[in-house]
Amino acid sequence: MTAPFDIAVTVPAEAGRFLAPCGMSAPHALAEGCGVAGGTVRVIRERHSSQPAVVVTPEDDGVTLTYRFAPGATAYPDAMFRPHPSRHTRAAEALVAEAQGAAGDGTGPERARRLACWAAEQFTYGHPEERFTDGLDHVPLLGCGMAAGSCVDINTYFLAALRAAGIEAGYVAGFFFPAEKGDWCEDAHCWVVTRHDGVVLEWDIAHHLKMGTRDIHPALNPKPGFRAALFHSMGLDFPDLAIADLKLLGQPVAPAPNGTVVPVDAAFALHHPDVRPGRVRPPRE
């Protein structure tokens, strides 16, 4: 996009206190902050990356978060590529061995693409009630047959495999507005970024699968649309809220007992001169 744009996220008052990202600059757009209307705000930081996030307590009419982005580009932050111990990124020994074999020899981009195609063969796109990592302290090797998985599940596997093969990689959560929906989306999205000898490549396996192919190439929009980044990395710690090893931070979440979180109902709308603003749809269940 060639002009500044806003992304509005509405959260009902009954959601209670919640945690939300502040937005991040990336090669697609420059984040210019997150405005909050309808609630009291406290800014905290994630322990490993120092990324800012907001803790919001809604008032009577609910909250609107407004993320402002400007045209421009910047490199992904170095912190995104620095792994730290987490059950969401730690590969099982069997996965390490298989990933190294699947990556093979060659340049970093060649090995990354082999792993992307290999990871795509393990999944059908879906939103299962049970995740393949549930109850585990590592990312397991998937056995015979395909697992159903969302973009989060697929990229969890892909990221663990890349790092197991010695390929520098990071994870990004953000918004994706499909071209056919114009100015609204149903939920957050995520993608993986690799870096090798200064070559940065972005990967969106889930969108390839949605378009009926497992021949994966480095491209963010095989499915036409527009995206903006919000937060990076997996296995997040927010000591101020006693939240530890949070898988990711995309859409708003509410702190829950024992250091866990629960998703918060929210609606997302894009406001930009090039699209018709104002349509806000409820999130997908």
Side-chain angles (χ1 to χ4, degrees):
M1 293 202 175
T2 58
F5 61 94
D6 292 340
I7 296 173
V9 181
T10 56
V11 179
E14 55 267 26
R17 186 179 66 154
F18 64 85
L19 174 70
C22 288
M24 63 175 277
S25 294
H28 327 289
L30 302 176
E32 294 193 332
C34 175
V36 180
T40 58
V41 182
R42 180 162 61 100
V43 178
I44 63 174
R45 290 189 177 272
E46 197 278 322
R47 182 166 70 91
H48 304 286
S49 64
S50 294
Q51 294 176 92
V54 289
V55 182
V56 183
T57 302
E59 296 172 350
D60 291 343
D61 295 329
V63 172
T64 299
L65 304 171
T66 303
Y67 295 93
R68 168 58 61 95
F69 290 89
T74 189
Y76 284 111
D78 286 339
M80 192 175 91
F81 299 98
R82 291 197 295 264
H84 59 269
S86 169
R87 64 189 177 93
H88 304 299
T89 58
R90 184 185 303 113
E93 289 184 7
L95 176 55
V96 172
E98 288 290 326
Q100 290 174 348
D105 298 324
T107 66
E110 289 170 345
R111 299 177 72 236
R113 181 168 180 263
R114 288 193 201 103
L115 278 176
C117 295
W118 175 76
E121 292 293 338
Q122 318 302 313
F123 289 94
T124 57
Y125 185 80
H127 291 267
E129 291 186 8
E130 294 185 5
R131 310 290 181 173
F132 73 100
T133 54
D134 284 352
L136 301 175
D137 65 355
H138 58 267
V139 181
L141 175 68
L142 291 173
C144 298
M146 291 183 177
S150 66
C151 61
V152 175
D153 302 315
I154 296 165
N155 287 332
T156 297
Y157 198 73
F158 184 36
L159 180 65
L162 286 164
R163 289 177 171 173
I167 298 171
E168 198 173 32
Y171 173 96
V172 185
F175 296 111
F176 178 76
F177 291 84
E180 71 272 16
K181 295 178 181 178
D183 58 351
W184 65 276
C185 68
E186 295 175 330
D187 48 21
H189 189 53
C190 62
W191 57 96
V192 167
V193 181
T194 58
R195 190 170 70 173
H196 181 78
D197 289 342
V199 177
V200 174
L201 299 174
E202 298 160 312
W203 307 84
D204 195 331
I205 296 174
H207 280 182
H208 281 79
L209 296 183
K210 280 186 170 184
M211 296 189 72
T213 180
R214 289 185 171 83
D215 183 19
I216 312 300
H217 292 268
L220 273 184
N221 291 331
K223 179 177 171 63
F226 168 76
R227 72 186 65 216
L230 287 180
F231 216 79
H232 68 74
S233 299
M234 305 181 85
L236 308 171
D237 290 349
F238 293 95
D240 301 64
L241 299 179
I243 293 173
D245 210 14
L246 175 64
K247 190 166 193 175
L248 61 98
L249 184 60
Q251 63 193 75
V253 294
N258 302 319
T260 60
V261 300
V262 293
V264 168
D265 286 338
F268 308 87
L270 172 67
H271 300 285
H272 187 276
D274 294 342
V275 298
R276 180 168 56 87
R279 291 189 300 138
V280 179
R281 302 293 180 89
R284 178 183 48 74
E285 297 294 331

